[in-house]
Every structure is written in structure tokens, then in C-alpha cells.
Amino acid sequence: MSRLGIHKTLKMYVGGSFIRSESGRVIAHHSTAGDVMYVPRASRKDLRNTLEIARKAQPGWGGRTPYNKGQILYRIAEMLEDRAGAFPAPKAQVTTAVDRAVHHAGWSDKIVAVLSSINPVSSGHVNYAHLRPVGVVMVLPSAQDGLLGLVEAICAPLLMGNSVIVMVPTELSEVAGALSEVLAVSDVPAGVVNLLMGDVPSVMDTADLLDDLDTLVVGPGTLSPERLTASEQAAARTMRRVIRAPSAEAPTDAMGLGRLAEVQTVWMASGGPGVTSGGGGY
Amino acid sequence: MTMTQDDRPTLKIAGAIEFSPAPEGHPVDIRPHQGHFIDGMFVEGAEEGRFQTIDPATARPLATVAAATAQEIDAAVKAARKAQQGVWGRMSGAERGKFLYRIARRLQERAREFAVLETMDNGKPIRETRDVDVPLAAQHFFYYAGWADKLGYAVPGRTPHPVGVAAQVIPWNFPLLMLSWKIAPALACGNTVVLKPSETTPLSAMRFAQILQEVGLPPGVVNLVNGPGATGALLVGHEGVDKVAFTGSTGVGRHIMRTVAGTKKKLTLELGGKSAHIVYRDAALTQAVEGVIDGIFFNQGHVCCAGSRLLLEASIADEFVERLKIRMQSLRIGNPLDKNTDVGAINSAAQLQRIQHYMDIAEQEGAGIWQGAACPAPSEGFFHLPTLLTGVQQSDTVVREEIFGPVLTVLTFRTPEEAVAKANDSEYGLAAGVWTEKTAKLFGTAHALNAGVVWANGYNLFDPASPFGGVRHSGFGREGGIAGLWPYLEAR
């Protein structure tokens, strides 16, 4: 007699925990195996809680050394590779995603060097422009980009020192669930990466009202033009940065990564003429 | 408005040196009717909606200015498009750069004339226009001229292309300098522009157009349209525009961001601020006093990055405030054209009213109001004495909102963590200052401040090589340096 298999309950990943939606609401969806699965449907309260958790987690993550961030991103690749055979996605997709994580792991201690500058100002100052994280980034990956899109959505903001909230399209819920398990064992601190599931437009209705989200990254085809316009208009309230991202087929390049950071210019008095202050020089 | 002088310390050197008036003796001629500059030509503009620009130091009119009609804005955008596609976008970077170098040189040659004109139209002291605004404007063109044939180095891994036609709207606090911040990088990158100067300070931009004719800049590469906010709204909303750049209030910036939403227009916003200025007890206090004075009273405090929130380590607070008061009593307020003047005129009656409104709020909120200068403010024109607000709270309106005038709030802190927390407790994030002689504390604080620009042992320094811009409600995008090229490039 054959053994009855165990179905996995699909959960969201928030603050390092696997949770259902507090609303108790679900969306019925078919798994890759053809079974019915119930995708948690993130509520307003879920998003608010997640945002609070991501905000609290960001300074600790942003303050880690670039080397440490790179190792943790590499650990994501290791854990993903390890599970490639059991992933609810074709193996080729998983290995592509692994390679993407490895690619980004290598950026964390280099991107600041590529995009920063020592600026030759006409006074006695060491003037440098360097990068600081934007803070909390919400990403809407495109369903067409599959697992690769999810990994891109996580790794690019993460390597820049941000905390991330990924709004998973329903089609990718199952693979996102498996990816959450990878994240949970990759030394990514709790709350730094969070995956919410459910109805994307309705979650965006809430996201538009929340003030504490710094950047929104919108993947191609994830929002209707009207819905995107509404989110861009709502962003004006808090000067939220809205990035219309290209497909995840190619990794976010240096200039793209720069948009997930803020340039900070620092003037350090270093001696020489006119050092104390500027303006009128009273 | 209250002026409490009970606790005013005596300045021993006050009056020891009498200043003779030293006015700039060669005023510039100003055309009484100003219009627009479209497709390389000065156009008179419509009579309907024509408004005055005044000298804020005397409240007397300098000229009348036309408000651009929708047709004129459309003509300007079309001229810019034609010039971008036909000439400017096709020109080699090296040739574009040579035009920008020419502009820089002409600005240097006519520096005195621009400084006087700017001071008359804006009200800022001639010493500032002469030593800061005009030289920096010329330097900005000189700096970006050199980038025009090196753009590939600014976008690692990509190929730079112009964005197209840029709509640019600038404020009244640094009219010519803001014009240079907008036009120089845009042109270096192969874009053409339609720029709207502020309605209270259009004169230096219109004179700048003469330079464009003198240097032979192809028609349509730079177009200037005058008018109030409604003109700016028409310009940024024009469908022929690819890129919008705005410097001004956060309120207007929000409106522009909503207008641009859903379009493919690129946007950069340089908005308001309420910048914190932190002084630790181990700072070089004499220099710090100078820096704090510069930080808030430079340009009458009409500076988006003005250090308007002073945060003093508690143990030095009383002494530092006394030093500030003494220093403030040597600031000469008065005729902006006088070379001895430190604090000039407030740019407009409306702005003076706004500042006075905040003074009323300060009184209601129970702030200690202290004002001082080396001489009384003139009776005509718009002037506001340098002002300190003490005994205020982090939650007070005058501590949270941008006053845009010579008004400094004073708060204290006990630890670096508290200083950073208070500094970052603001919707804005444009700039900040920090003073200490301890290196680790200096870097540590500077990097912890949530601001786009941080001055460490200095304040209000500007340079074309140095990126400037804010975070959060202070906007996004940078002007100056390599980062200042990015908003004007389509990097593919």
C-alpha cells in the first residue's frame, strides 16, 4: 500500500517567521504538482506589520560590513543550490537563480567603490560622495521572471543595505514559499527580507497610504498603467522613490543598483584656504 | 513680533569702527519691459498678465515682465525639440563643451554686471553675488563643459544618450546660480532646455540670454519663459517634455510629482529642508560660531539647506548662545548694494509675511525670541533682523517647518546618539552640519545623518564638483559632480 504524502501549508515569510495572513483569507491556486493550494492573502494589517518589522531590521543590516553582507548573499546561493533538486521549479531555473545570487554577492563590497567619488572641490576640504541605503524597499517582481525575478528582487536591494518586502505574484507563491525556506537558513537576519503573498493590486492600495516605505520597485506588467499611475501619484505624498524596473533577465547593473541607494556628499574640513565655512564668509 | 532685549549682552567692540557707506556705484541698465527668450530670439510677450519685478531693498519696481501664454510655452518646447534633434543632440561632445566654456568665460567677463543686477532683483548682499553666486555660476558651466566629451565615464557599464527636452523651474533665492545648476549639466549631456525663472527674480536669466546670443549658441538650445507658478505648471505638464527638474518648495514639488506620474518623464526635485547643525562640546567653538552664523544668515536664510536647527551639546549651550548673540550684533543689515552689508533684503513682501507668520507661531509656542544686528534694519524695503529662537521643543512648528528666513532655533542634546536622533527626526533630509575636533565622532555622526549633504566642520559650502540634493521630503536626484549628470542621461 502506498504511503499518503504530506502537503505543505503555504505560508508567507515575515520577520523570520512563517505566517498565515492575519485575515485568514486565502486564494486558491494550483501547485506545480496539480494539487489545489491555498495562498495566504496579505491584508492591510499584514503589510503594516511587515513594514514596521522591515524598518526595525534595516539599520542593523545596513550597518553590517560589506564583506558580511556578501557572505550572506553567497549563503543564499549555497542553500538554493543545495535544494535545487527539490525546488518546485525546473532545475535550470534554479541554477540560473543560484548564479544570480552569486553575482550579486560579489557586488556588496564593490558597488560603493564604483559609484562613489572623491570630488575635487576648490577649497580646503576632502569632499566625497558615497552611497547610503534608501531604507525599506518594496519590490513587485514580474510573474514572467519566475524564481529568477524573486531572487533579483531580494538580492539587489539587499546588497545595497536595504530591507526588502517582496510582494509575490500568485503564480510564484509556491516557489516563493520554497525560497523563504532558503532565506530562513541563510543567516539573513529576521525581518530583513519579507515575502508577502496575495492580491497585488489590493495590497498596493494599502501600500500607497503608508508613509514609511522609502522605495517601490515595480516589475514589468505587475500593475496596470492606471494602478501604476495611482501609486506614482501617491508616492508624491512622501517623495517615495518609484522605480520602473526592467525584466530580471539581466541582473541589475551598477547604475540600477545606484537607484537603490542615496548619494550622500560629505565635506570634511582638511586645512588649506577657506576651511571653516562657506557662504558669504562673514 | 516681539523683540526682547533684556538679556542682550554688551558688545565691547560695537561702534568702535564706524563703517562709511560703500555702495556699488555703477548700477546696470535694465530694460523696462521683459519678455521671453524663445528659439534664439527675445520676444516681447503678451501684455495680459504682465507683472512687475521689484527691488526688495526699496520695494520699487525694476521692470515689468510678461507671463508666457500656452502658445509661447508650446513654441519654446517645439524650438527645444527641433534644436535637440537637429543640432545639439547631433553635435560632438567636444563641440558642445566649447559652447559651455564660452558661456563660462562670458559670465566671468560680465561678473560685476550680473552681481549688481542679481543684488538689485533679489535683495541679497553684493558681497554674496560678487563672491558666491556669479563666480559659482561661471564655474558650474566651466565644470560641466569638461564633461560633455567624457560622458561614458559617468555611467559605468552603459552608453550615455541625451534624454531630450528638459523643462526646468527654478527658485528666487539663487537665480543665476540655480539657472547654471540646471542648464550646464543638461546641455553638457546633449539635452535642450526650456527654463522658467522665478517671477520675483527673472532679470539675471534674461541677461544670461544675451550671453547665449553672444556666444552663438544655436537657437532653441536654451529657451526662457517667464511667468508665475501657473506658467511652470503648463511647462512641466507639456507633453513635449522628456525631463522635469524643479528646485523649490516641497508643496510645489509634490504637485509636480503628481503631474508627472504615469508619464515617461524623468524627474528630479530639489526641495525644502530643515537642516540640523550639531555642535559638540569638543568643537573648535570660534569656528563653529562662524559656521552656525554662515549656516543660517547667509542669503538671509533663503537657502534650502540653511542650518536652521541648531543642536548644541548641553554643557556648552549657554556659552555658545552668548557667543552667537555677540556675533550677531556685528552683522550689518541694510542696503544690499553696500559692500559692507552682511544681511540684505528679504526677497518679497510675501516672503517677509511668511517669516513674520512663523514669528507669531514662535511666540504662541512660547519660544524665547532674540534679535540682533550691528545696525537697525532700513525703514523701507523688506528686512528681517537675524533671529534666535530658544526654549523650543522638537515638536514645535518652528522646529519642524521650513521658515526660509534668518531664523535659527536652538535645541540641546547630551549624547551623540541623541544628537543624531534629533537631527534625523524630520521629514526633510537635505543637509546637516557637525562640529567636533574628534575624528571618529565627526565621521560617525556625518555618516549617521539622514541627509544628502553633510558639512563636517563647515557649512553652506558649494562647488560644481560636489553633488547636492536631498533625501525623503527634500526630494531626489543630485546636482553637481558626476551624480549631477545622471538625471540628464538616458544610459542604456
Side-chain angles (χ1 to χ4, degrees):
Chain A
M1 208 175 110
S2 65
R3 180 182 165 273
L4 186 64
I6 303 294
H7 286 167
K8 196 192 305 189
T9 306
L10 190 59
K11 293 191 178 184
M12 305 191 291
Y13 183 61
V14 174
S17 300
F18 293 90
I19 62 165
R20 295 188 174 93
S21 169
E22 62 80 33
S23 69
R25 297 180 71 191
V26 291
I27 298 168
H29 187 67
H30 283 277
S31 72
T32 46
D35 303 318
V36 170
M37 56 189 289
Y38 291 98
V39 179
R41 185 172 167 160
S43 67
R44 288 176 183 213
K45 192 175 176 191
D46 287 323
L47 179 59
R48 278 203 304 270
N49 290 345
T50 308
L51 190 54
E52 203 178 319
I53 287 166
R55 172 63 63 194
K56 280 191 185 138
Q58 193 277 324
W61 175 250
R64 293 205 175 206
T65 66
Y67 178 37
N68 184 250
K69 287 197 276 267
Q71 288 185 86
I72 289 172
L73 283 162
Y74 189 78
R75 185 71 177 164
I76 293 174
E78 287 179 345
M79 294 297 104
L80 196 52
E81 175 93 12
D82 197 41
R83 286 162 166 73
F87 235 71
K91 185 155 186 203
Q93 281 187 22
V94 182
T95 52
T96 308
V98 169
D99 292 352
R100 178 64 55 87
V102 170
H103 171 79
H104 282 315
W107 261 132
S108 70
D109 52 5
K110 297 162 193 75
I111 185 66
V112 173
V114 172
L115 293 182
S116 298
S117 56
I118 299 278
N119 306 306
V121 293
S122 304
S123 57
H125 293 85
V126 174
N127 176 302
Y128 55 94
H130 68 135
L131 303 181
R132 294 177 88 242
V134 286
V136 180
V137 178
M138 184 171 182
V139 190
L140 274 53
S142 183
Q144 284 77 26
D145 283 329
L147 174 61
L148 185 64
L150 293 177
V151 168
E152 183 64 39
I154 291 165
C155 290
L158 208 56
L159 80 92
M160 302 307 288
N162 304 293
S163 58
V164 191
I165 300 170
V166 181
M167 187 59 224
V168 176
T170 303
E171 298 91 317
L172 301 182
S173 302
E174 191 184 12
V175 73
L179 186 61
S180 300
E181 291 157 24
V182 166
L183 295 166
V185 294
S186 297
D187 300 329
V188 180
V192 171
V193 180
N194 308 277
L195 286 83
L196 292 177
M197 299 172 183
D199 180 53
V200 177
S202 75
V203 168
M204 289 315 297
D205 287 343
T206 302
D208 285 351
L209 300 174
L210 298 177
D211 284 353
D212 205 27
L213 177 65
D214 299 300
T215 296
L216 176 66
V217 180
V218 183
T222 54
L223 295 177
S224 69
E226 297 75 30
R227 194 67 203 65
L228 175 60
T229 301
S231 283
E232 286 182 337
Q233 284 173 339
R237 197 182 59 256
T238 57
M239 293 291 143
R240 176 177 300 157
R241 286 81 171 118
V242 181
I243 299 170
R244 298 184 198 175
S247 145
E249 200 176 340
T252 307
D253 69 354
M255 294 300 294
L257 291 172
R259 299 193 64 191
L260 297 166
E262 300 282 4
V263 173
Q264 184 184 53
T265 302
V266 182
W267 294 71
M268 283 278 167
S270 63
V275 294
T276 53
S277 57
Y282 294 134
Chain B
M1 195 171 77
T2 335
M3 185 153 108
T4 45
Q5 297 200 339
D6 310 339
D7 59 341
R8 192 165 173 155
T10 316
L11 179 65
K12 299 288 188 293
I13 60 160
I17 305 167
E18 285 301 325
F19 284 77
S20 302
E24 172 59 52
H26 300 278
V28 292
D29 294 328
I30 297 169
R31 278 199 11 225
H33 287 268
Q34 305 274 338
H36 319 289
F37 183 70
I38 297 170
D39 205 13
M41 307 278 283
F42 286 95
V43 296
E44 198 66 16
E47 277 310 304
E48 195 187 336
R50 192 168 268 281
F51 56 96
Q52 283 185 339
T53 182
I54 61 158
D55 178 348
T58 60
R60 283 195 279 271
L62 294 170
T64 69
V65 186
T69 62
Q71 289 76 20
E72 284 161 338
I73 291 165
D74 189 53
V77 172
K78 285 191 170 125
R81 173 69 59 197
K82 188 167 158 237
Q84 205 281 326
Q85 290 178 340
V87 189
W88 199 248
R90 293 163 181 241
M91 195 181 286
S92 73
E95 289 300 301
R96 284 202 307 270
K98 280 154 69 179
F99 276 107
L100 294 179
Y101 279 124
R102 276 193 183 187
I103 293 170
R105 283 307 209 206
R106 287 286 163 136
L107 271 176
Q108 289 172 331
E109 285 166 354
R110 295 175 65 173
R112 187 203 69 84
E113 174 192 354
F114 273 95
V116 173
L117 182 68
E118 194 81 311
T119 285
M120 289 172 74
D121 204 16
N122 173 280
K124 63 170 68 190
I126 185 75
R127 197 160 53 78
E128 291 178 8
T129 51
R130 182 194 64 197
D131 297 347
V132 182
D133 294 62
V134 179
L136 271 182
Q139 194 187 354
H140 221 82
F141 279 100
F142 201 90
Y143 175 81
Y144 278 109
W147 267 118
D149 57 354
K150 303 169 191 69
L151 297 173
Y153 296 99
V155 286
R158 293 195 190 176
T159 309
H161 302 274
V163 179
V165 174
Q168 305 176 319
V169 178
I170 58 170
W172 47 260
N173 58 341
F174 294 92
L176 185 71
L177 185 58
M178 290 301 105
L179 172 148
S180 72
W181 282 26
K182 292 281 178 288
I183 293 182
L187 261 54
C189 294
N191 307 285
T192 55
V193 308
V194 181
L195 179 138
K196 187 194 91 66
S198 167
E199 64 269 36
T200 66
T201 54
L203 297 181
S204 56
M206 293 310 287
R207 188 150 310 215
F208 175 79
Q210 292 177 3
I211 285 186
L212 301 180
Q213 284 187 331
E214 284 176 11
V215 303
L217 189 77
V221 174
V222 172
N223 306 273
L224 305 173
V225 290
N226 279 306
T231 307
L234 281 174
L235 175 58
V236 302
H238 195 287
E239 60 182 17
V241 161
D242 304 301
K243 150 88 196 152
V244 174
F246 170 75
T247 298
S249 72
T250 296
V252 175
R254 267 196 200 105
H255 182 73
I256 290 175
M257 194 166 168
R258 288 197 189 101
T259 307
V260 168
T263 71
K264 288 187 173 164
K265 290 174 190 173
K266 285 180 74 142
L267 177 64
T268 42
L269 298 170
E270 206 271 87
L271 308 174
K274 191 74 184 180
S275 299
H277 206 156
I278 299 169
V279 181
Y280 287 113
R281 62 191 291 270
D282 44 23
L285 292 181
T286 305
Q287 285 96 320
V289 167
E290 288 304 302
V292 170
I293 293 281
D294 259 341
I296 186 62
F297 301 125
F298 173 55
N299 205 32
Q300 297 74 246
H302 301 328
V303 185
C304 45
C305 55
S308 51
R309 278 191 298 148
L310 180 60
L311 293 169
L312 294 172
E313 188 157 351
S315 59
I316 57 157
D318 291 346
E319 181 202 344
F320 198 89
V321 168
E322 287 312 304
R323 285 191 185 216
L324 278 180
K325 287 177 177 175
I326 290 168
R327 184 66 183 86
M328 284 163 71
Q329 287 175 83
S330 64
L331 293 175
R332 302 189 64 80
I333 186 169
N335 180 8
L337 282 170
D338 190 316
K339 292 169 191 123
N340 293 322
T341 294
D342 297 311
V343 179
I346 301 299
N347 178 248
S348 64
Q351 186 57 29
L352 184 59
Q353 272 170 17
R354 203 166 297 141
I355 298 167
Q356 282 166 344
H357 169 65
Y358 276 108
M359 297 300 291
D360 293 341
I361 292 175
E363 204 177 337
Q364 286 159 22
E365 290 180 332
I369 301 172
W370 191 94
Q371 299 185 308
C375 47
S379 51
E380 63 169 4
F382 315 127
F383 289 87
H384 196 277
L385 285 170
T387 303
L388 280 185
L389 300 181
T390 53
V392 292
Q393 306 295 322
Q394 188 78 3
S395 53
D396 286 350
T397 308
V398 289
V399 176
R400 305 204 72 80
E401 294 185 10
E402 184 177 41
I403 298 174
F404 221 64
V407 181
L408 179 66
T409 65
V410 184
L411 288 152
T412 61
F413 65 89
R414 290 181 187 277
T415 63
E417 292 73 26
E418 189 188 350
V420 168
K422 280 186 166 164
N424 286 346
D425 177 22
S426 167
E427 287 185 343
Y428 294 113
L430 187 51
V434 52
W435 293 81
T436 169
E437 294 292 283
K438 295 273 167 64
T439 314
K441 192 153 72 176
L442 193 63
F443 279 87
T445 304
H447 293 180
L449 290 168
N450 202 4
V453 181
V454 180
W455 289 287
N457 292 337
Y459 207 92
N460 267 349
L461 297 143
F462 308 96
D463 195 288
S466 173
F468 183 93
V471 303
R472 308 194 69 222
H473 292 211
S474 294
F476 45 80
R478 293 292 177 267
E479 294 178 298
I482 295 175
L485 292 164
W486 297 338
Y488 289 102
L489 290 172
E490 199 68 67
R492 293 194 278 265

